[in-house]
Amino acid sequence: MADDDSILTDLTPPAKRNVKALTAALADLQPGDAVAATFATERYGIFVVRGEVTASTILGSFALGSHPLEANKKPAQTLRLLRTFHSAERASAEASETAATSGSRSATIAHGDLVRATVSEPAYGVFDVAGVAVHSAVDDSVLVGSWIVATKGVLAERVRAVEVLEAAGSHEIAVPKEITTWGSEALAEV
């Protein structure tokens, strides 16, 4: 599926981030623009958020699904790639979102699975987050890109749909360590 191919491409950013290109892309952004942004953090690994850009009045910057894209007009440290979300991808995402809004609220997601979750958050709208599932032993939750997708096998309230793209061990993307303590959330890189 072409949509899955673009996700896999976004999950393999270049080794060196292109700050100049990211800065130029950010300069052209407007609230409501449809983009795909790739982030890299130690806790959640590499993940992609696809959706519409929101303007944070508190931070005075743009965000995508709660993740800041910039700080002081410079790309956020965790941002690796930023691209427009093409109309064909958008139509595909909307169709899969509509099909997935009904159904079971239970989920079987293992640490290391490559997953895509559709999240509906009042402050950020509807967006997709794709990446490697990270299990938290603290509360038996599974997270993708800092968003709790399921706890004790039950989908989180704001998760509309979740899809396992590839099972743990069948993909080449690095798997972060399981979360054994929340520690200081200031260190969570979110």
Side-chain angles (χ1 to χ4, degrees):
M1 176 183 215
D3 188 42
D4 291 345
D5 291 341
S6 66
I7 289 171
L8 293 175
T9 300
D10 289 339
L11 286 170
T12 52
K16 185 173 180 187
R17 114 184 157 126
N18 187 338
V19 176
K20 189 174 182 179
L22 289 171
T23 303
L26 288 167
D28 292 336
L29 278 185
Q30 297 293 321
D33 284 353
V35 299
T38 302
F39 298 91
T41 69
E42 185 176 337
R43 179 168 275 190
Y44 305 109
I46 296 174
F47 59 94
V48 177
V49 181
R50 286 186 321 185
E52 292 185 1
V53 173
T54 57
S56 170
T57 54
I58 294 170
L59 300 175
S61 62
F62 291 119
L64 182 61
S66 81
H67 291 280
L69 296 173
E70 61 175 319
N72 299 321
K73 304 292 182 196
K74 294 181 181 176
Q77 288 294 320
T78 57
L79 183 64
R80 296 296 179 257
L81 291 173
L82 182 65
R83 68 174 180 82
T84 58
F85 190 167
H86 299 288
S87 58
E89 289 176 277
R90 182 181 238 178
S92 173
E94 288 172 358
S96 65
E97 174 192 316
T98 302
T101 54
S102 62
S104 173
R105 296 296 303 161
S106 65
T108 304
I109 307 164
H111 179 79
D113 285 351
L114 183 61
V115 301
R116 172 179 41 212
T118 301
V119 179
S120 178
E121 166 60 44
Y124 303 106
V126 177
F127 58 92
D128 285 343
V129 59
V132 176
V134 179
H135 180 256
S136 167
V138 177
D139 58 1
D140 194 19
S141 291
V142 176
L143 300 93
V144 178
S146 80
W147 281 93
I148 295 175
V149 174
T151 301
K152 297 179 181 166
V154 178
L155 288 180
E157 182 180 331
R158 292 187 169 106
V159 173
R160 287 190 174 181
V162 65
E163 175 186 8
V164 175
L165 303 173
E166 293 186 37
S170 65
H171 59 80
E172 302 283 326
I173 299 167
V175 177
K177 294 179 197 173
E178 181 178 47
I179 299 169
T180 57
T181 179
W182 286 115
S184 171
E185 278 305 298
L187 301 175
E189 301 176 21
V190 178

